[in-house]
């Protein structure tokens, strides 16, 4: 599909232009999500896009689907209700690193644990964009933020490892630099039955970039290119060689019973017993 | 689960479960907390049998979020909790008010603040029900005083939520939730059930927040093909945020007006022995039971007492209280808190009558004898 066709079919063109800063990664990720939805062949009428609060969480407002812009951190909780009430709907969650890992961290753990059929795309720009550049749980230790004028003290965590450990059954990491790969990763997540999670390393030139002397979006994309290591290549490297780098690609996939399917069995049992 | 006519012994919490089922609930999300847990347990067993869904979420914030999500997906949804959990739900209750998502929140009030006395009764959440979430939101809160009324008001909570697209709070207290009474429930088919109005417009031109004649916008479900947007940001009739103060003003005023202008009024109260009453006891929930007994006894002793029982805590039955205040020499307001309903009584009575609070916060009931004693004291000072 041409860009023009994609825009016409999947975006609310009357809501454009968007609110994002020049060079922001959010538009690239939204574009990848749209292309992935198209590629995976999802039924647009039966797809709901849910987000929390943040710059990234504004994406659903531009997308021509049923869309739900919730409260900060709670997108996964709302999405769980939508999915349980109507399991036939495809439910996609778009969330920021702060939204998903800080205030929403507990919901992330439990949604993954349930292996409920949601596809989560995290816009990880390493910072709180919307509130003006405070550090998030994913801000690399030692980097600068408006609330870390001397560098962050907190250790940052690896969300993909967290989701895998919690029971998520499809886990991947992409970047806004490797867009073709990103579309494929999201599309594979959409096709996976169960909790699928895609972390996207992105850029906020406005705050993370400025605070950390990476003033241009281009410099930040180049940083991604230099520091991302594809899964296959990473397998051949020692932890020492991987230091300071991050791994991209499909990181984990397994088959496990999906929550709404198991609940449907509960319903069948409960109704059978009543007879 | 068919409700049959035979009399049965039920607790308030069980009656709430039965009322919810009669009203057509199909989704419950919650987190265990005394003294509300029997509602979750009852629905965990009952919902799968009617093809509905129960889930125990990781906390009350998540429960409230899931309830809103389920309602937007087109099913009647509820949660139940008590004080600490009610506090956690507040931000998302505000979302439901702003985005006009029908849902029912049961708060079985227990003794606070904080963890307080978890198994003891109180009526300390009346103001939290009104003002717990931030901003100038409207709210409906119902306060049953008996097991049978808990059934009826649970149904009404769903009906009001669906009709007015708004969160409705059912304020039980530990006494009403846990006491057992012999009740006869109406057969399911005789229960009046209201469902949200769905839009008939073409999805292309549909404005999801364009109000109907009753100021309530018709509501599609996710998956119906309308491709609508739902947000807690101030929005215009298209449902999208505009950032304009005038749009926010129009929206928030309409949210209030749809409840205030509803005919018949949402606000209501039971009036008992009020025609000639000189001393009016204003009491709600479990306290109204003692108040009724006290009024009865006062009448036996020749004191013209009456009972005014708010059935809706919110909107507060202002007209009823104002009218009674105009005629009464004094109003006694017993409550299981340090004075929440009494503030409303003072506000609407506008100095027309003497107002006497009666408060208990030692985790015990207010007895009929205590209220009677207060009635007698007050009677001794009015001519
Ligand atoms: C309960 C609550 N706390 C705080 C905020 C303020 N707030 C809005 S967005 C945000 C952080 C967003 O950061 P992130 O999730 O990383 O998204 P980004 O803006 O970077 O895309 C915060 C703290 C809020 N809206 N609600
Ligand atoms: S502040 Fe950062 S994340 Fe937000 S729009 Fe601007 S560049 Fe993007």
């Amino acid at each position: 599909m041409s860009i023009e066709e994609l825009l016409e079919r999947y975006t609310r063109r009357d809501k454009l232009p968007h609110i994002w800063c020049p060079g922001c990664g959010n538009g690239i990720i939204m574009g990848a999500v749209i292309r992935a939805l198209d590629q995976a062949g999802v039924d647009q009428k039966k797809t709901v896009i849910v987000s929390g609060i943040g710059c990234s969480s504004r994406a659903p407002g531009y997308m021509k689907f049923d869309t739900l812009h919730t409260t900060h951190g709670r997108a996964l909780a709302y999405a769980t209700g939508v999915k349980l009430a109507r399991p036939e709907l495809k439910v996609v969650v778009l969330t920021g690193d702060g939204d998903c890992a800080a205030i929403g961290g507990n919901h992330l753990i439990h949604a993954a644990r349930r292996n409920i059929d949601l596809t989560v795309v995290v816009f990880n720009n390493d910072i709180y964009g919307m509130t003006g550049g405070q550090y998030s749980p994913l801000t690399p230790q030692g980097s600068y933020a408006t609330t870390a004028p001397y560098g962050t003290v907190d250790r940052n965590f690896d969300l993909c490892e967290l989701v895998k450990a919690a029971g998520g059954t499809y886990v991947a990491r992409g970047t806004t630099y490797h867009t073709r790969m990103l579309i494929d990763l999201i599309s594979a997540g959409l096709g996976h039955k169960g909790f699928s999670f895609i972390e996207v390393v992105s850029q906020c030139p406005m705050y993370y970039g400025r605070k950390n002397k990476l003033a241009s979006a281009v410099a930040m994309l180049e940083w991604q290119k230099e520091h991302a290591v594809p899964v296959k290549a990473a397998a051949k490297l020692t932890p020492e060689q991987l230091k300071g780098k991050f791994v991209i690609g499909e990181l984990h996939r397994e088959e496990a019973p999906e929550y709404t399917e198991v609940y449907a069995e509960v319903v069948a049992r409960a109704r059978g017993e009543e007879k | 689960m068919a409700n049959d006519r035979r009399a049965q012994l039920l607790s308030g919490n069980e009656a709430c479960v039965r009322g919810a089922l009669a009203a057509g609930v199909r989704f419950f999300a919650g987190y265990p907390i005394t003294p509300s847990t029997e509602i979750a347990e009852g629905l965990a067993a009952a919902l799968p049998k009617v093809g509905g869904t129960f889930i125990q979420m990781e906390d009350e914030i998540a429960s409230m979020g899931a309830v809103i999500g389920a309602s937007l997906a087109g099913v009647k949804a509820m949660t139940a909790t008590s004080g600490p959990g009610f506090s956690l739900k507040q931000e998302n209750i505000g979302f439901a008010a702003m985005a006009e998502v029908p849902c029912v929140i049961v708060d079985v009030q227990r003794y606070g603040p904080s963890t307080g006395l978890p198994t003891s009764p109180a009526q300390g959440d009346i103001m939290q029900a009104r003002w717990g979430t931030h901003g100038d939101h409207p709210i409906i809160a119902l306060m049953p005083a008996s097991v049978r009324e808990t059934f009826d008001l649970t149904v009404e909570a769903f009906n009001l939520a669906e009709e007015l697209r708004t969160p409705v709070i059912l304020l039980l207290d530990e006494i009403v939730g846990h006491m057992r009474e012999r009740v006869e429930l109406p057969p399911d088919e005789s229960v009046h059930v209201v469902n949200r109005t769905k839009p008939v417009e073409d999805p292309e031109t549909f404005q999801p927040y364009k109000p109907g004649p009753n100021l309530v916008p018709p509501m599609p479900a996710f998956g119906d093909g309308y491709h609508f947007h739902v947000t807690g940001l101030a929005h215009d009739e298209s449902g999208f945020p505009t950032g304009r103060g005038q749009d926010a003003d129009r929206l928030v005023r309409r949210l209030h007006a749809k409840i205030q202008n509803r005919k018949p009024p949402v606000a209501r109260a039971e009036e008992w022995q009020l025609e000639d009453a000189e001393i009016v006891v204003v009491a709600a929930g479990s306290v109204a039971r003692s108040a009724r007994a006290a009024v009865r006894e006062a009448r036996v002793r020749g004191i013209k007492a009456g009972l005014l029982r708010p059935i809706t805590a919110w909107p507060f039955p202002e007209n009823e209280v104002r009218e009674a205040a105009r005629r009464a020499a004094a109003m006694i307001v017993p409550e299981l808190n340090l004075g929440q309903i009494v503030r409303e009584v003072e506000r609407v009575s506008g100095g027309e009558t003497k107002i006497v609070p009666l408060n208990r916060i030692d985790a015990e009931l207010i007895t009929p004898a205590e209220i009677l004693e207060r009635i007698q004291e007050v009677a001794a000072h009015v001519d």
Side-chain angles (χ1 to χ4, degrees):
Chain A
M1 228 183 251
S2 71
I3 281 223
E4 187 54 34
E5 284 167 325
L6 283 168
L7 280 170
E8 192 52 39
R9 172 143 184 209
Y10 294 110
T11 67
R12 293 166 166 147
R13 297 189 82 163
D14 57 327
K15 301 299 161 202
L16 298 170
H18 56 66
I19 60 160
W20 299 317
C21 311
C24 176
N26 289 346
I28 299 174
I29 304 175
M30 183 174 83
V33 171
I34 284 174
R35 288 179 175 91
L37 285 161
D38 186 61
Q39 183 170 312
V42 306
D43 181 351
Q44 195 173 356
K45 282 204 166 76
K46 299 287 174 200
T47 301
V48 184
I49 316 235
V50 186
S51 67
I53 296 288
C55 297
S56 42
S57 287
R58 287 299 195 95
Y62 306 120
M63 301 169 72
K64 204 192 285 175
F65 294 84
D66 286 328
T67 50
L68 174 56
H69 177 226
T70 69
T71 47
H72 190 30
R74 316 302 172 194
L76 277 164
Y78 282 66
T80 297
V82 173
K83 184 70 189 177
L84 287 175
R86 291 186 81 174
E88 73 276 17
L89 297 178
K90 183 104 220 144
V91 183
V92 179
V93 174
L94 308 183
T95 169
D97 47 307
D99 197 59
C100 178
I103 189 164
N106 200 34
H107 309 310
L108 176 64
I109 292 172
H110 292 280
R113 173 177 64 82
R114 293 183 190 109
N115 194 34
I116 184 166
D117 188 26
L118 304 172
T119 299
V120 183
V121 179
V122 183
F123 294 47
N124 175 17
N125 56 12
D126 290 335
I127 202 93
Y128 285 7
M130 178 135 272
T131 42
Q134 301 77 25
Y135 61 92
S136 92
L138 272 75
T139 305
Q141 191 177 22
S143 28
Y144 296 93
T146 57
T147 46
Y150 308 106
T152 52
V153 177
D154 296 38
R155 293 197 291 175
N156 51 307
F157 73 61
D158 182 330
L159 270 194
C160 290
E161 284 297 325
L162 175 85
V163 172
K164 189 173 140 192
T169 48
Y170 174 91
V171 181
R173 185 184 287 119
T175 78
T176 45
Y177 176 82
H178 306 83
T179 46
R180 186 64 252 171
M181 177 200 252
L182 180 59
I183 296 164
D184 291 340
L185 291 173
I186 299 171
S187 172
L190 289 165
H192 175 82
K193 186 106 207 139
F195 190 79
S196 55
F197 180 86
I198 302 100
E199 177 193 339
V200 190
V201 176
S202 179
Q203 74 277 13
C204 168
M206 182 57 109
Y207 295 114
Y208 188 86
R210 278 194 193 163
K211 278 276 161 199
N212 292 281
K213 311 227 169 346
L214 290 157
S216 83
V218 175
M220 298 180 83
L221 287 166
E222 272 168 357
W223 180 92
Q224 290 180 15
K225 179 179 142 196
E226 281 151 23
H227 292 79
V229 183
V231 181
K232 275 204 184 120
K236 301 193 191 101
L237 299 178
T238 63
E240 207 41 47
Q241 290 169 308
L242 275 173
K243 215 160 181 219
K245 311 259 183 196
F246 63 94
V247 182
I248 56 169
E250 185 178 305
L251 305 177
H252 175 71
R253 188 200 279 266
E254 68 180 289
E255 295 303 319
E258 191 275 324
Y259 193 90
T260 59
E261 290 187 352
V262 179
Y263 198 84
E265 289 168 21
V266 169
V267 169
R269 263 207 313 282
R271 298 193 125 174
E273 276 167 16
E274 209 182 24
K275 282 191 191 119
Chain B
M1 195 193 285
N3 294 315
D4 57 44
R5 274 181 185 287
R6 274 174 305 134
Q8 47 193 324
L9 198 61
L10 285 183
S11 72
N13 283 349
E14 286 164 347
C16 176
V17 169
R18 301 288 286 271
L21 290 166
V25 69
R26 286 296 176 272
F27 185 85
F28 180 99
Y31 189 82
I33 184 166
T34 305
S36 76
T37 308
E38 298 83 8
I39 299 172
E41 289 167 344
L43 286 165
L47 275 171
K49 294 185 183 174
V50 295
T53 309
F54 169 91
I55 186 168
Q56 181 174 315
M57 293 295 284
E58 53 272 21
D59 59 34
E60 287 87 349
I61 301 174
S63 307
M64 194 61 224
V67 161
I68 295 171
S71 180
L72 285 164
V75 307
K76 292 188 182 178
M78 75 181 292
T79 185
T81 188
S82 185
F86 192 44
S87 298
L88 288 180
K89 289 184 195 291
Q90 292 298 338
E91 186 193 6
N92 285 333
I93 293 174
F95 182 96
M98 189 66 156
E100 300 182 71
V101 185
C103 53
V104 172
I105 302 104
V106 184
D107 172 26
V108 188
Q109 296 170 92
R110 69 186 219 183
Y111 193 103
S114 192
T115 313
L117 292 168
T119 58
S120 297
Q123 295 179 317
D125 300 350
I126 293 168
M127 283 297 168
Q128 193 189 6
R130 178 66 195 88
W131 296 113
T133 196
H134 58 282
D136 254 318
H137 62 288
I139 201 76
I140 298 175
L142 311 175
M143 271 185 96
S146 70
V147 170
R148 173 56 206 256
E149 197 183 28
T150 301
F151 175 91
D152 293 336
L153 291 188
T154 304
V155 173
E156 186 169 337
F158 275 98
N159 287 350
L160 287 169
E162 292 284 315
E163 176 191 325
L164 297 169
R165 282 192 67 172
T166 191
V168 176
I169 292 163
L170 188 69
L171 268 183
L172 306 189
D173 55 51
E174 190 276 337
I175 300 166
V176 173
H178 278 167
M179 77 187 171
R180 293 188 165 271
E181 286 183 308
R182 242 174 80 90
V183 287
E184 244 181 61
L185 298 183
D188 276 352
E189 59 280 8
S190 76
V191 173
H192 174 63
V193 171
V194 176
N195 295 312
R196 62 191 72 170
T197 305
K198 290 242 185 182
V200 288
E201 287 93 331
D202 174 20
E204 286 304 314
T205 52
F206 176 60
Q207 293 272 80
Y209 285 91
K210 186 171 171 205
N214 60 348
L215 300 180
V216 182
M219 183 178 178
F222 286 158
D224 284 355
Y226 279 89
H227 289 165
F228 62 110
H229 185 60
V230 179
T231 178
L233 284 167
H235 45 272
D236 64 14
E237 294 184 350
S238 74
F240 290 92
T242 68
R244 289 215 311 260
Q246 309 94 288
D247 291 332
D249 178 290
R250 199 170 47 208
L251 169 62
V252 176
R253 285 184 196 279
R254 178 175 63 75
L255 297 181
H256 284 265
K258 71 179 178 182
I259 293 171
Q260 284 303 334
N261 299 357
R262 194 251 193 188
K263 297 272 171 320
V266 176
R268 61 193 178 91
E270 182 199 346
E271 299 181 355
W272 190 67
Q273 309 261 318
L274 223 53
E275 303 74 35
D276 60 342
E278 288 168 356
I279 297 172
V280 175
V281 183
V282 183
S286 63
V287 177
R289 303 169 71 88
S290 297
R292 191 186 306 273
V295 165
R296 188 181 294 121
E297 190 54 36
R299 288 263 168 186
V300 170
R301 294 172 193 216
I303 301 170
K304 285 185 177 160
L307 171 67
L308 180 60
R309 180 174 71 88
I311 295 171
T312 53
W314 309 111
F316 191 70
E318 297 184 355
N319 293 338
E320 290 81 351
V321 171
R322 191 176 295 118
E323 184 59 25
R326 234 174 24 80
R327 288 184 280 139
M331 282 179 139
I332 299 173
V333 190
E335 308 178 67
L336 289 175
N337 57 44
L338 284 179
Q340 299 193 17
I341 293 175
V342 74
R343 299 171 73 99
E344 287 301 293
V345 175
E346 278 165 353
R347 180 177 69 78
V348 302
S349 63
E352 291 271 0
T353 188
K354 183 175 144 97
I355 291 171
V356 184
L358 170 52
N359 310 99
R360 228 177 143 158
I361 56 160
D362 61 351
E364 296 295 333
L365 320 183
I366 299 183
T367 61
E370 275 174 275
I371 300 174
L372 178 63
E373 196 185 314
R374 192 62 54 95
I375 292 173
Q376 287 173 311
E377 279 167 24
V378 172
H381 291 96
V382 299
D383 25 284

